[in-house]
Amino acid sequence: MAAAVAELLARFVERLPDAPSADLEGADELARELRAARPPEDGEPLADTLATVEHAAAKAIDTAGPGYLAYIPGGGLFTSALGDLLAGGVNRYVTMGRVAPAMAAIEAGVVDWLCELFGYPEGAFGVLTSGGSMANLSAVVSARATLGEDFSGGTIYVSEQAHHSLAKAALIAGFPADAVSEVACDSELRMDPAALEHAIAEDRAAGRRPCLIVASAGTTNTGAIDPIPELADLAEREGVWLHADAAYGGFFRLTERGRERLAGIERADSITLDPHKGMFIPYGTGCLIVRDARALRRAHTLGAGYLQDIASGELPDFADHSPELSRANRGLRVWLPLQLHGVGAFRRALDEKLDLARLAHDRLSEHEQLELPWEPPLSTVAFRLRDSSDDDNRALLERINASRRVFISSTVIDRSYWLRISVLSHRTHRDRIEEAVEIVSREAAAAARTARAR
């Protein structure tokens, strides 16, 4: 059975470079059939079941292929999938350290390495999560705990470009909608420290209790990085928890350019990271690290009599650092690729992505039909047709994606429709970016001709 699954996966992964960027023909019909189907009473041959899985996986937008340049890509590193196979196969429970100490230590070692990577001192720790949204939720809950049991009047400050998971986390954590304050950004789409300082002063004067500032370390729209040192200074003066949402940009810290652009992030009280972005791990792998692990535990620890036989030993219990008691063994999916490839391979790959984004930006900037007002701080390039309507740009997006060689996405910035190229798949290299630039340029020129004809 394992050999048959491995053969399917090898075949699937090996065809990715030549597969269409999206193949949704017949996908809706297949989805309806699969949803309506019910499990058989006596089972069916493995070959038949695997054929269904392979067909279902093919009828999709190819988020693992080299042409996937939409949203923030997750590369689906194959060696990480092997880690998941091992974790599911041995089925060891690692949320309480004493149940499988050595396996729990593997995950704890990954978290320790991440704390060291971001310059955190001894006493820092964290937890691997299902993604950045869950990491942000735990960060909000940890900051909320600084207000005590009564957190009424607590306020949270995010930039206008912050990820929507933060406002969602605040609502889940019990804050009213008006507790989240959107702070204005500068021309580079970074949070304005002066506007933040003014907002905090106004809230204090109104009797509110500022408790959390969120600095974006790589926004989804453009990769903008908030001025973290200035925000850290302000947070320190005001006695407010500083959280860095580095789900997208954090792992660029492995590179020299990334360390420069993320300067000051080590001063944050907590940091969200997504290995399924910057480390190319399959989806479902996030992380929260916290400067003082005691603050994380205070917000998440709750004992129970039925857990007394496996109470904490020398190793930390992940259950005391997150909302989860039953959870996947996520450590192997991060640890195995690091062991097999080494940190240097990730550093080189991330440097390549920075270079490719710069290449795309510079080449597209040469075309008079396009406007690109923002330099790419990381690996995302935003652009649109010059002197055009939103409908014109929607049509351009459709024409680009119709090539089936690349798949890009759109967003709204300052109430205008923008297209985005985001480079973060380990399978995306210079040849595909040059092809993407050629496709965008060709379709932009065609759109301009159509507009002139009207």
Side-chain angles (χ1 to χ4, degrees), residues 358-389:
R358 170 52 58 183
L359 172 67
H361 177 274
D362 291 351
R363 293 277 182 88
L364 293 177
S365 295
E366 296 172 357
H367 293 270
E368 60 182 4
Q369 297 95 348
L370 299 173
E371 58 175 314
L372 293 86
W374 305 291
E375 298 281 327
L378 296 172
S379 63
T380 296
V381 179
F383 64 95
R384 63 177 275 133
L385 291 167
R386 195 179 300 278
D387 302 324
S388 61
S389 68

Side-chain angles (χ1 to χ4, degrees), residues 8 16 44 58 95 98 116 119 134 213 234 304 328 343 362-363 375 380 387 404 408 452:
L8 183 157
L16 287 174
E44 67 179 16
T95 314
R98 290 189 65 185
E116 294 165 5
M134 285 301 297
I213 297 168
L234 182 56
V343 176
D362 291 351
R363 293 277 182 88
E375 298 281 327
T380 296
D387 302 324
R404 297 181 55 163
I408 68 173
R452 285 195 297 271

Side-chain angles (χ1 to χ4, degrees), residues 263-434:
I265 197 170
E266 67 280 355
R267 297 175 61 188
D269 294 290
S270 55
I271 303 172
T272 284
L273 303 164
D274 265 356
H276 66 211
K277 294 185 175 73
M279 283 190 67
F280 322 116
I281 304 300
Y283 293 118
T285 320
C287 181
L288 177 70
I289 56 174
V290 178
R291 167 179 289 278
D292 184 350
R294 294 172 299 180
L296 188 59
R297 289 195 298 272
R298 280 195 297 268
H300 292 88
T301 301
L302 191 65
Y306 45 78
L307 297 176
Q308 63 185 4
D309 297 332
I310 50 174
S312 178
E314 181 179 336
L315 286 166
D317 290 334
F318 293 114
D320 292 339
H321 297 80
S322 85
E324 297 178 288
L325 180 59
S326 295
R327 61 187 285 274
N329 177 353
R330 300 185 180 114
L332 284 175
R333 59 165 47 195
V334 182
W335 178 84
L336 189 65
L338 285 168
Q339 293 298 117
L340 295 178
H341 305 300
V343 176
F346 292 92
R347 180 178 296 110
R348 290 188 294 272
L350 289 166
D351 263 324
E352 179 194 32
K353 307 316 163 194
L354 293 174
D355 291 341
L356 293 177
R358 170 52 58 183
L359 172 67
H361 177 274
D362 291 351
R363 293 277 182 88
L364 293 177
S365 295
E366 296 172 357
H367 293 270
E368 60 182 4
Q369 297 95 348
L370 299 173
E371 58 175 314
L372 293 86
W374 305 291
E375 298 281 327
L378 296 172
S379 63
T380 296
V381 179
F383 64 95
R384 63 177 275 133
L385 291 167
R386 195 179 300 278
D387 302 324
S388 61
S389 68
D390 286 352
D391 286 343
D392 292 334
N393 286 283
R394 289 189 187 95
L396 175 60
L397 177 68
E398 291 178 3
R399 294 176 65 130
I400 292 168
N401 288 344
S403 72
R404 297 181 55 163
R405 291 294 294 166
V406 297
F407 189 89
I408 68 173
S409 58
S410 66
T411 190
V412 175
I413 303 173
D414 292 335
R415 295 185 293 279
S416 293
Y417 188 97
W418 291 84
L419 282 66
R420 301 167 58 262
I421 288 176
S422 189
V423 190
L424 203 61
S425 171
H426 67 283
R427 296 186 177 95
T428 302
H429 304 296
R430 185 183 180 104
D431 60 337
R432 191 59 64 106
I433 294 303
E434 289 182 337

Side-chain angles (χ1 to χ4, degrees), residues 83-94 100 103 329 332:
D84 268 354
L85 177 60
L86 288 168
V90 301
N91 197 34
R92 290 294 178 254
Y93 180 78
V94 298
M103 296 296 286
N329 177 353
L332 284 175

Side-chain angles (χ1 to χ4, degrees), residues 102-126:
M103 296 296 286
I106 287 176
E107 185 165 336
V110 168
V111 176
D112 289 340
W113 172 71
L114 291 171
C115 289
E116 294 165 5
L117 175 63
F118 284 85
Y120 270 5
E122 186 176 350
F125 196 57

Side-chain angles (χ1 to χ4, degrees), residues 1 4 40 42-53:
M1 292 174 75
D42 298 318
E44 67 179 16
L46 175 63
D48 295 345
T49 303
L50 291 183
T52 299
V53 173

